């Protein structure tokens, strides 16, 4: 028991809160909360810890555990309640706007995951993540710009003229409202590392959003996988995605579990072994899924090697490609469209990239990636 306490004391504050939120035993929750109380300064909490406060606070009350720093935590709770409520209200307005223009809309991340919590506002939100079909991306972007948002105009024009090339490097546009500060990630995919078939499958099997019948949700097993992958790939690791995973799994039927196993097995996602390790670290039971995680991840290290490149090489390749694109885009952005100019610079950039870095050419990666994905 003493060794366990010492181990907990070594953990960062956000991880202590995450473990307290995941725990279902009174004594364990109380022990972790006590250690967190000793370590934490409630007036100087890190952002990752703050995002867990609404769930943490009600979780302690559920088990009749005294709440440490209760006054301060209630202030943080109220902040997230107001912010998340406002974001959801704005999401409804955007849904109506898109619906009036015939644009299909699917929500992901926070706006989708909060529907599986007992209290939706336990899932804090900082922005809106929405997905639209590939052929409606430009229309959706321009509609948002017309209604007070500003965003990556260069990339939108690039998408308009060269959609396939843009999709190979990005999966979303970032926009922000000039007055309210509302942030929107406008997705056409849930990750640029995913084949387009995954999004086709997601739209075909989309669920109805229970909060608004004018928008869709990804299937639960797809949402689970994308949430987990985004969590482990995030540069700013936090406990939200771990908690999301547990909450989402608790809503799974046997049919959902079967679909999850099949989905992971077919696609062999490149970071699934990291997801597996994170679940182990936080004690999420794999056996309850009935999944052989090792089987689904045994080929992943080889795929990871194909996709990994030395840092300097990555920087050089990015510069060579982007330099050609930037030269041509200057004319596009200045309303002097020159598709010939763009094609010329882009072709030169591709040739240079292939000459300088033949062993990591995109063609080679794509072929090997497709080969490894097949069962």
């Amino acid at each position: 028991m003493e060794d366990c306490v010492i181990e907990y004391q070594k953990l960062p504050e956000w991880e202590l809160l995450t473990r307290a939120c995941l725990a279902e035993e009174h004594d364990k929750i109380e022990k972790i909360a006590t250690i967190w109380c000793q370590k934490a300064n409630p007036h100087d909490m890190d952002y990752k810890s703050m995002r867990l406060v609404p769930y943490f606070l009600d979780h302690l009350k559920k088990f009749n555990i005294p709440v440490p720093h209760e006054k301060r935590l209630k202030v943080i709770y109220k902040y997230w309640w107001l912010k998340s409520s406002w974001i959801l209200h704005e999401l409804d307005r955007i849904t109506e706007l898109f619906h009036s223009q015939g644009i299909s809309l699917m929500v992901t991340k926070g706006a989708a995951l909060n529907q599986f919590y007992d209290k939706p506002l336990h899932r804090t939100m900082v922005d809106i993540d929405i997905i639209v079909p590939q052929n409606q991306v430009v229309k959706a972007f321009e509609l948002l710009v017309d209604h007070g948002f500003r965003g990556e105009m260069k990339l939108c024009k690039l998408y308009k003229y060269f959609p396939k090339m843009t999709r190979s490097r990005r999966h979303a546009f970032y926009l922000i409202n000039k007055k309210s500060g509302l942030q929107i990630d406008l997705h056409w995919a849930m990750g640029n590392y995913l084949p387009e078939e995954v999004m086709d499958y997601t739209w075909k099997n989309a669920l109805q959003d229970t909060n608004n019948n004018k928008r869709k949700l990804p299937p639960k097993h797809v949402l689970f996988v994308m949430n987990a992958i985004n969590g482990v790939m995030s540069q700013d690791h936090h406990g939200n995605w771990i908690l999301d995973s547990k909450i989402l799994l608790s809503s799974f039927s046997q049919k959902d579990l079967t679909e999850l196993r099949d989905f992971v097995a077919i696609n062999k996602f490149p970071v699934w072994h990291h997801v597996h390790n994170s679940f182990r670290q936080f004690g999420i039971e794999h056996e309850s899924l009935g999944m052989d995680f090792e089987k689904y991840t045994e080929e992943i290290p080889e795929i990871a090697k194909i996709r990994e490149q030395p840092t300097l090489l990555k920087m050089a390749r990015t510069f060579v490609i982007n330099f050609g694109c930037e030269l041509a885009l200057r004319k596009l952005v200045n309303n002097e469209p020159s598709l010939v100019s763009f094609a010329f610079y882009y072709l030169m950039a591709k040739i240079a990239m292939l000459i300088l870095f033949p062993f990591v050419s995109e063609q080679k990666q794509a072929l090997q990636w497709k080969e490894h994905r097949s069962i």
Side-chain angles (χ1 to χ4, degrees), residues 103 124 171 173 209 227 252 306 309 344 354:
I103 299 174
T124 55
H171 66 278
F173 292 139
D209 188 325
N227 173 62
F252 271 35
I306 293 170
Q309 301 161 20
F344 172 77
L354 291 172

Side-chain angles (χ1 to χ4, degrees), residues 41-77:
N41 177 358
H43 296 281
D44 188 27
M45 291 175 67
D46 62 85
Y47 191 64
K48 293 179 284 189
S49 298
M50 284 181 64
R51 292 194 63 180
L52 291 165
V53 164
Y55 189 92
F56 174 68
L57 197 60
D58 283 348
H59 197 54
L60 293 187
K61 290 180 179 179
K62 176 183 172 182
F63 286 89
N64 297 315
I65 297 171
V67 179
H69 308 301
E70 186 171 12
K71 263 190 177 179
R72 177 59 182 164
L73 293 190
K74 282 184 174 178
V75 171
I76 296 171
Y77 187 109

Side-chain angles (χ1 to χ4, degrees), residues 133-347:
Q134 292 177 358
N135 61 353
Q136 294 185 317
V137 171
V138 174
K139 182 179 179 181
F141 185 96
E142 292 174 347
L143 186 62
L144 289 170
V145 169
D146 290 343
H147 284 78
F149 286 84
R150 66 173 183 266
E152 301 166 298
M153 295 298 298
K154 282 185 181 182
L155 285 170
C156 186
K157 288 198 173 186
L158 180 62
Y159 189 100
K160 188 173 183 178
Y161 292 108
F162 298 93
K164 190 172 181 181
M165 186 190 76
T166 312
R167 289 199 298 267
S168 71
R169 305 198 169 276
R170 293 288 296 271
H171 66 278
F173 292 139
Y174 171 81
L175 299 101
I176 185 167
N177 189 282
K178 291 178 280 190
K179 289 184 179 179
S180 68
L182 178 66
Q183 300 170 28
I184 293 180
D185 285 347
L186 178 64
H187 296 251
W188 53 88
M190 286 191 269
N192 55 356
Y193 47 84
L194 296 174
E196 291 190 2
E197 301 87 65
V198 170
M199 280 314 302
D200 294 339
Y201 171 87
T202 301
W203 278 106
K204 184 178 177 181
N205 296 279
L207 306 174
Q208 195 68 51
D209 188 325
T210 56
N211 293 327
N212 192 314
N213 61 11
K214 294 176 182 175
R215 58 181 183 243
K216 301 284 187 180
L217 292 179
K220 283 200 282 189
H221 58 285
V222 176
L223 186 62
F224 177 86
V225 170
M226 294 303 102
N227 173 62
I229 290 178
N230 287 330
V232 298
M233 292 185 74
S234 171
Q235 294 178 348
D236 183 25
H237 296 292
H238 55 82
N240 266 108
W241 79 269
I242 290 286
L243 185 57
D244 290 337
S245 297
K246 183 196 171 188
I247 298 293
L248 194 53
L249 278 178
S250 67
S251 73
F252 271 35
S253 65
Q254 192 56 48
K255 179 176 178 288
D256 295 325
L257 291 173
T258 302
E259 289 175 337
L260 174 60
R261 287 197 297 270
D262 293 344
F263 188 63
V264 172
I266 290 169
N267 289 285
K268 294 188 172 71
F269 296 104
V271 294
W272 197 248
H273 58 304
H274 294 304
V275 173
H276 175 216
N277 292 337
S278 295
F279 284 168
R280 269 187 181 158
Q281 178 188 345
F282 285 93
I284 295 179
E285 294 295 329
H286 307 146
E287 290 75 16
S288 64
L289 295 175
M291 294 178 67
D292 184 351
F293 275 71
E294 297 297 341
K295 174 186 173 184
Y296 295 153
T297 58
E298 61 189 2
E299 292 188 64
I300 300 304
E302 295 177 37
I303 296 174
K305 285 178 186 175
I306 293 170
R307 296 174 68 82
E308 281 178 6
Q309 301 161 20
T311 304
L312 287 176
L313 199 55
K314 279 185 178 179
M315 291 171 63
R317 288 182 68 250
T318 301
F319 172 78
V320 168
I321 290 294
N322 289 347
F323 178 71
C325 294
E326 180 65 26
L327 287 175
L329 278 174
R330 284 179 187 172
K331 291 194 173 184
L332 292 175
V333 171
N334 293 329
N335 295 318
E336 299 174 11
S338 175
L339 299 185
V340 174
S341 170
F342 186 93
F344 172 77
Y345 283 119
Y346 180 68
L347 183 62

